[in-house]
Amino acid sequence: MDLAEHGIRTSGRVFRNPTTALLYTHALMRGDGRLAEGGPLAVDTGRHTGRSPKDKFVVREPGSEDRIWWGSVNQPLEEESFERLRDKVVSSYSEGDVYVVDAFAGADPEHRICVRVVTDHPYHALFAKTLFIEPTTDELAEFEAQALVLHAPAVEAEPGEDGTRSGTFVVLHPSRSEVLIGGTFYAGEIKKSIFTVMNDRLPLEGVFPMHCSANLGEDGKVAIFFGLSGTGKTTLSADPERLLIGDDEHGWGNAGVFNVEGGCYAKVIRLSPTAEPEIYRTTRTFGTILENVAIDENGVVDLDKLEQIRNALPAKQGGHPSAIIFLTADAFGILPPIARLDRSQALFYFLSGFTAKLAGTEIGVTEPQPTFSTCFGAPFLPQEPVVYARMLGQKLDRHGPGVWLVNTGWTSGPFGEGERMPISATRALLRAALEGELDDVAYREDPIFGLRVPIQVPAVDSKLLDPRSTWRDPDAYDRKARELARMFRDNFEQFAETAGEKITNAGPRV
């Protein structure tokens, strides 16, 4: 394959769309990974075991400058620095073997893009092959890259020379849809970079991009689950009784919801074969990559192609959602396990994006940290949050889905004192909500947050539905609740002017 169109020249071999078996073989020969019992490839990503958001940059260039949400999420980088880094990455390909993966992002043919990932590491090629959507042989024959990822994890930036913060860099050039990745072996940067590209492109086509999972019930009704990593997007959407559309990234267009990816990228720490059987099974399956997972000397484990999850929906598309769930891992133990939101509340909590960062999602996060990540995906939003909130409001008005806030975090107290919300209770609450069992039950209104909380739900301890009653010290709950309410209010000040009075007043009462 000739990579000259991308300015790449190499004396080594170029492997275009290699098989999984070949990539396994090369990774094992190079010592990049180990074969684990059952067939997965176990790899170690080194010092970067999560994303490095402080090392993410967007090129400031005329074609996109006016629409980018500049700031700590999208740090500007000059085009000269981009070209310098690009030269370093391309030069690193000059002698060794290079792997090229051509794939689609977006299951809807009307809104998908052709993605080409170039890397000098076979297991990262396998990651791209697994996570994106594989074209057919006929589609590959006509494939023309619309987005390009140049991946060279061993290449380090020179901060003083290249304008970066450190040796690590993840850089997007919006108009060229090119991504440069270096200084990190964490494979998740590849998928999240393409998600960022889609978050920029889809709104220009009138499609709402979402950091969410999605599934389909036997009744044909679609549910979507917004949430950051570690809040339960993958676990709760991979319900054995429903068909999985996708676990992380979707678009919502005129025809309904579609998956951006073809794979599943799940956390496996303390994974339960009982509570999460489908995901657990993939950790013993050929084709799965296990990142930073301990295995013993015999190769026994102490994500995988979506198709290998038995209840996956092959089309990766569904209709318009009848239910929208906002997942939040509340480390304070204040929010109820489920609450029904009206339109204004839905937009308030969507713009707020409250949750807790969990260990392993970002560098330096070793225990839950309460945070506000607007639209439940701030690190991946190239445009202003109000752009995405406005699109959500339009979808709510047009299709009228029910909206629920679900706390998968703590109960009976904050992190360190309370306990994690039982997944069995969360599943029961979601099942009741999705099957319409909560449509006619009695609700109470939370005096501080104004949330409508069901008083009784079958198969769920009623005490759990009232977080205050689970605390040993109710007064301590009240103090912490007021503290959290103030955090919501202080955070929302940045959106108050653009969101308007009605949405702003839908938040907690301080």
Side-chain angles (χ1 to χ4, degrees), residues 339-367:
R340 190 159 203 161
L341 308 181
D342 62 27
R343 183 187 189 278
S344 295
Q345 289 175 322
L347 294 181
F348 178 91
Y349 283 96
F350 181 66
L351 281 167
S352 298
F354 173 71
T355 190
K357 293 179 183 177
L358 300 186
T361 59
E362 291 182 15
I363 295 170
V365 178
T366 57
E367 62 181 44

Side-chain angles (χ1 to χ4, degrees), residues 32 86 267 270 334:
D32 289 348
R86 193 184 194 283
K267 285 182 173 50
R270 293 185 292 275
I334 295 298

Side-chain angles (χ1 to χ4, degrees), residues 462-493:
S462 296
K463 185 177 180 181
L464 197 66
L465 296 169
D466 180 8
R468 188 175 187 269
S469 70
T470 66
W471 282 50
R472 289 188 297 272
D473 184 349
D475 291 336
Y477 171 89
D478 292 339
R479 289 192 296 272
K480 188 61 73 172
R482 287 191 292 270
E483 178 185 339
L484 179 57
R486 285 192 295 272
M487 289 175 64
F488 268 100
R489 280 296 178 192
D490 291 345
N491 173 74
F492 205 80
E493 286 182 3

Side-chain angles (χ1 to χ4, degrees), residues 350-478:
F350 181 66
L351 281 167
S352 298
F354 173 71
T355 190
K357 293 179 183 177
L358 300 186
T361 59
E362 291 182 15
I363 295 170
V365 178
T366 57
E367 62 181 44
Q369 297 177 1
T371 186
F372 292 90
S373 184
T374 186
C375 305
F376 295 96
F380 322 119
L381 302 183
Q383 299 184 35
E384 294 278 352
V386 69
V387 171
Y388 308 98
R390 188 179 300 121
M391 297 188 84
L392 174 60
Q394 292 168 350
K395 296 297 185 184
L396 294 177
D397 294 339
R398 189 170 304 155
H399 303 289
V403 185
W404 304 86
L405 181 69
V406 172
N407 176 20
T408 62
W410 276 257
T411 184
S412 304
F415 171 77
E417 297 178 22
E419 58 187 28
R420 195 72 191 260
M421 194 72 68
I423 191 170
S424 58
T426 301
R427 284 197 186 281
L429 290 167
L430 282 172
R431 190 169 294 115
L434 297 181
E435 294 178 0
E437 295 177 6
L438 302 186
D439 291 349
D440 300 316
V441 301
Y443 284 80
R444 68 175 179 86
E445 183 175 304
D446 186 279
I448 294 178
F449 291 87
L451 299 169
R452 293 178 61 227
V453 183
I455 294 175
Q456 196 169 21
V457 177
V460 177
D461 184 353
S462 296
K463 185 177 180 181
L464 197 66
L465 296 169
D466 180 8
R468 188 175 187 269
S469 70
T470 66
W471 282 50
R472 289 188 297 272
D473 184 349
D475 291 336
Y477 171 89
D478 292 339

Side-chain angles (χ1 to χ4, degrees), residues 172-468:
L172 166 64
H173 191 300
S175 291
R176 286 161 53 173
S177 292
E178 283 194 8
V179 175
L180 308 177
I181 301 175
T184 172
F185 283 80
Y186 179 66
E189 299 285 12
I190 297 173
K191 86 181 218 90
K192 290 304 186 185
S193 293
I194 290 300
F195 184 42
T196 302
V197 170
M198 295 294 275
N199 280 339
D200 188 37
R201 294 177 66 125
L202 290 179
L204 303 179
E205 301 174 9
V207 176
F208 178 30
M210 306 174 293
H211 186 215
C212 72
S213 58
N215 63 23
L216 179 71
E218 292 182 357
D219 55 6
K221 293 181 179 179
V222 173
I224 57 177
F225 303 75
F226 284 92
L228 294 181
S229 296
T231 56
K233 285 199 317 302
T234 299
T235 296
L236 295 172
S237 58
D239 187 332
E241 297 182 10
R242 296 173 67 86
L243 294 174
L244 179 66
I245 298 173
D247 82 309
D248 195 41
E249 301 166 2
H250 291 79
W252 186 352
N254 291 332
V257 169
F258 61 90
N259 194 357
V260 169
E261 302 176 318
C264 174
Y265 195 35
K267 285 182 173 50
V268 297
I269 185 170
R270 293 185 292 275
L271 193 66
S272 167
T274 302
E276 298 133 322
E278 297 297 331
I279 301 170
Y280 182 87
R281 186 183 64 82
T282 67
T283 65
R284 273 74 177 162
T285 305
F286 177 78
T288 294
I289 301 171
L290 295 174
E291 288 185 321
N292 309 311
V293 173
I295 61 175
D296 65 19
E297 65 275 10
N298 295 316
V300 177
V301 175
D302 206 3
L303 277 161
D304 189 31
K305 290 295 279 187
L306 187 58
E307 284 78 1
Q308 291 193 20
I309 294 180
R310 291 171 181 165
N311 60 330
L313 186 66
K316 303 177 180 66
Q317 300 182 69
H320 297 288
S322 62
I324 296 174
I325 293 94
F326 296 152
L327 299 174
T328 177
D330 175 19
F332 286 112
I334 295 298
L335 296 177
I338 194 167
R340 190 159 203 161
L341 308 181
D342 62 27
R343 183 187 189 278
S344 295
Q345 289 175 322
L347 294 181
F348 178 91
Y349 283 96
F350 181 66
L351 281 167
S352 298
F354 173 71
T355 190
K357 293 179 183 177
L358 300 186
T361 59
E362 291 182 15
I363 295 170
V365 178
T366 57
E367 62 181 44
Q369 297 177 1
T371 186
F372 292 90
S373 184
T374 186
C375 305
F376 295 96
F380 322 119
L381 302 183
Q383 299 184 35
E384 294 278 352
V386 69
V387 171
Y388 308 98
R390 188 179 300 121
M391 297 188 84
L392 174 60
Q394 292 168 350
K395 296 297 185 184
L396 294 177
D397 294 339
R398 189 170 304 155
H399 303 289
V403 185
W404 304 86
L405 181 69
V406 172
N407 176 20
T408 62
W410 276 257
T411 184
S412 304
F415 171 77
E417 297 178 22
E419 58 187 28
R420 195 72 191 260
M421 194 72 68
I423 191 170
S424 58
T426 301
R427 284 197 186 281
L429 290 167
L430 282 172
R431 190 169 294 115
L434 297 181
E435 294 178 0
E437 295 177 6
L438 302 186
D439 291 349
D440 300 316
V441 301
Y443 284 80
R444 68 175 179 86
E445 183 175 304
D446 186 279
I448 294 178
F449 291 87
L451 299 169
R452 293 178 61 227
V453 183
I455 294 175
Q456 196 169 21
V457 177
V460 177
D461 184 353
S462 296
K463 185 177 180 181
L464 197 66
L465 296 169
D466 180 8
R468 188 175 187 269

